[in-house]
Amino acid sequence: MEENEVRKSQNGGGSSEFTAYLSVPKQHSNAIKMPNKYYSMLSKVLNEGSSQTNKKGGIRYLLNQQMSMTPADLLDIFESHSIARKKLKNELQLFMQGERQVERYRDVGINWWDYCGSVLVNSYPTYFEKLPPLIAKINREKRNSKNYVLFLGETNAESNQAPCLSLVQFQIDKGELVVSAYQRSSDANLGLPSDIYHLYLMSRQIDLPLKSITLFLGNVHIYDNNIERTHNLLNGDEGVKFDLNV
């Protein structure tokens, strides 16, 4: 989920792909257009973030941030930011099938896992393969439960890419779906928009109207080599591409 491909737009689809699912109130024609919530988070990291150096290089980061998105907010992000929708949809399907062979991802045009070698070890497929039975249970029961939770990752487990997403919880509030997720680490340029789209795709598999998706970000960051390009993106350069830092 952290590669330049994540930044590329897919042909076709358009906003109609989302408006059929997302219940979005109409905006008044004279309303002031604000930056989408994803771009607002990028701006916040740039303007308020602290600096740090780790084994992957220098970053500008913020701790313990939150993004709460209604269907209208999601539509705004998907319409104004280029996301590799088809590849991310295929990726999530492979994760949920428990597919660990990197070659299978290459077969559908996904090459951002190549740095992991031939097999994804204790990474996303290990945990996402538990998602289909959880979704089936939610659709079958539709209870007001706090126990519809997918946990990802294991302390000290050998892995060539530990999941950055640590937990996804599905709750039902007055007949509507509320999705909450915790990310231990979020590459704001590449990983964050991909995870937002994955969570949206998960929500579509549950037979309830979506109320909101909320992300709790333990550490959200922009790598130093992507800072200038992030400024360019926010200034309207839709063709900007970001470096993968591994």
Side-chain angles (χ1 to χ4, degrees), residues 131 134 138 145 148 168-172 177-179 202 206:
L131 184 58
L134 175 60
I138 297 170
S145 173
Y148 297 140
V168 184
Q169 182 178 23
F170 304 92
Q171 297 187 79
I172 300 172
L177 178 65
V178 174
V179 181
M202 292 179 215
I206 296 174

Side-chain angles (χ1 to χ4, degrees), residues 26-197:
K26 292 184 178 180
Q27 300 292 324
H28 295 294
S29 59
N30 60 348
I32 299 175
K33 181 67 173 178
M34 301 296 290
N36 69 56
K37 288 193 173 181
Y38 169 57
Y39 285 175
S40 294
M41 180 59 68
L42 290 179
S43 295
K44 187 176 182 181
V45 176
L46 288 173
N47 296 328
E48 302 178 22
S50 300
S51 296
Q52 183 184 81
T53 301
N54 57 35
K55 65 180 182 180
K56 294 183 181 180
I59 60 172
R60 190 170 299 177
Y61 71 96
L62 289 171
L63 302 181
N64 299 327
Q65 299 299 301
Q66 177 179 326
M67 290 180 65
S68 188
M69 296 160 286
T70 65
D73 296 325
L74 292 167
L75 183 62
D76 193 17
I77 293 170
F78 299 152
E79 286 188 327
S80 57
H81 183 69
S82 297
I83 296 175
R85 299 170 187 168
K86 184 176 180 181
K87 290 184 180 181
L88 289 172
K89 183 177 181 180
N90 288 335
E91 180 183 53
L92 181 61
Q93 290 174 342
L94 290 170
F95 284 169
M96 293 173 65
Q97 293 166 11
E99 182 55 64
R100 291 156 171 80
Q101 298 296 320
V102 172
E103 184 178 358
R104 287 287 291 109
Y105 293 84
R106 289 197 208 101
D107 289 343
V108 292
I110 297 169
N111 60 12
W112 52 79
W113 295 114
D114 287 358
Y115 71 92
C116 291
S118 61
V119 178
L120 293 170
V121 179
N122 285 325
S123 191
Y124 291 91
T126 302
Y127 307 100
F128 268 106
E129 66 182 355
K130 302 173 185 177
L131 184 58
L134 175 60
I135 289 175
K137 182 178 182 180
I138 297 170
N139 283 330
R140 183 173 63 251
E141 297 178 346
K142 292 182 180 172
R143 295 189 297 112
N144 297 321
S145 173
K146 299 177 287 294
N147 298 323
Y148 297 140
V149 181
L150 177 71
F151 296 96
L152 297 90
E154 181 180 346
T155 302
N156 295 327
E158 180 182 350
S159 174
N160 49 14
Q161 178 54 65
C164 296
L165 186 66
S166 300
L167 177 151
V168 184
Q169 182 178 23
F170 304 92
Q171 297 187 79
I172 300 172
D173 182 31
K174 298 177 182 177
E176 294 183 300
L177 178 65
V178 174
V179 181
S180 306
Y182 180 81
Q183 281 191 280
R184 62 172 184 84
S185 176
S186 180
D187 180 338
N189 295 121
L190 299 176
L192 181 55
S194 303
D195 288 317
I196 292 171
Y197 191 64

Side-chain angles (χ1 to χ4, degrees), residues 16-33:
S16 62
E17 174 189 352
F18 309 108
T19 52
Y21 173 72
L22 300 174
S23 178
V24 179
K26 292 184 178 180
Q27 300 292 324
H28 295 294
S29 59
N30 60 348
I32 299 175
K33 181 67 173 178

